[in-house]
Amino acid sequence: MVVFDRKKNKTDVELFINCLMKNGKREKAYKLFVEALVFLSGLLKKKKLIESPFETLNKAIFKLKPNLKLCPYFFKKRRYYYPGLVSEFSSRGVAIRWLIKYSKYQRESSA
């Protein structure tokens, strides 16, 4: 069983649920998130790993986080790009969106 503490991981959980949510169906997205954590804990038990599903999720998000983005600036009616830093919160949001997008793509291609 997954021990779910909403206060401890509030920002990550809420951001993940908001990215999962479609048409304002927060409860459905929340149930889907909890089911995914239960499935992940089952996989971790099969592999005999001790870490919690939240730690695994945080590792995946940390590995996906972008550090740089391309920022445009205009000079003499032309657009040029320079590398800029991404804030911590913004990079976590992008990583979560990429994780959800890839999992949906993988599910559609396997079906």
Side-chain angles (χ1 to χ4, degrees), residues 16-41:
F16 206 93
I17 289 172
N18 286 342
C19 289
L20 268 178
M21 187 171 48
K22 286 185 179 178
N23 299 328
K25 309 272 186 181
R26 182 176 292 276
E27 286 299 317
K28 196 171 185 179
Y30 177 74
K31 287 178 184 177
L32 186 65
F33 178 72
V34 172
E35 286 176 14
L37 288 180
V38 168
F39 179 75
L40 187 59
S41 67

Side-chain angles (χ1 to χ4, degrees), residues 2-68:
V2 177
V3 178
F4 181 63
D5 186 11
R6 208 168 183 165
K7 303 227 182 212
K8 181 180 176 188
N9 301 313
K10 184 173 173 52
T11 57
D12 296 336
V13 169
E14 293 301 322
L15 190 60
F16 206 93
I17 289 172
N18 286 342
C19 289
L20 268 178
M21 187 171 48
K22 286 185 179 178
N23 299 328
K25 309 272 186 181
R26 182 176 292 276
E27 286 299 317
K28 196 171 185 179
Y30 177 74
K31 287 178 184 177
L32 186 65
F33 178 72
V34 172
E35 286 176 14
L37 288 180
V38 168
F39 179 75
L40 187 59
S41 67
L43 286 178
L44 291 173
K45 283 181 183 177
K46 274 186 184 178
K47 293 187 177 184
K48 296 183 174 125
L49 296 173
I50 301 173
E51 63 187 24
S52 72
F54 286 111
E55 291 174 10
T56 307
L57 186 64
N58 283 332
K59 281 183 187 178
I61 290 171
F62 182 75
K63 287 182 180 181
L64 284 173
K65 283 193 316 186
N67 295 326
L68 297 174

Side-chain angles (χ1 to χ4, degrees), residues 63-100:
K63 287 182 180 181
L64 284 173
K65 283 193 316 186
N67 295 326
L68 297 174
K69 66 178 178 179
L70 291 176
C71 300
Y73 74 94
F74 298 94
F75 181 70
K76 293 185 180 180
K77 296 183 180 180
R78 299 200 62 193
R79 183 182 294 174
Y80 297 97
Y81 292 96
Y82 66 95
L85 295 175
V86 181
S87 69
E88 179 70 25
F89 186 75
S90 177
S91 66
R92 291 185 76 79
V94 170
I96 289 172
R97 283 193 297 272
W98 284 349
L99 187 64
I100 292 170

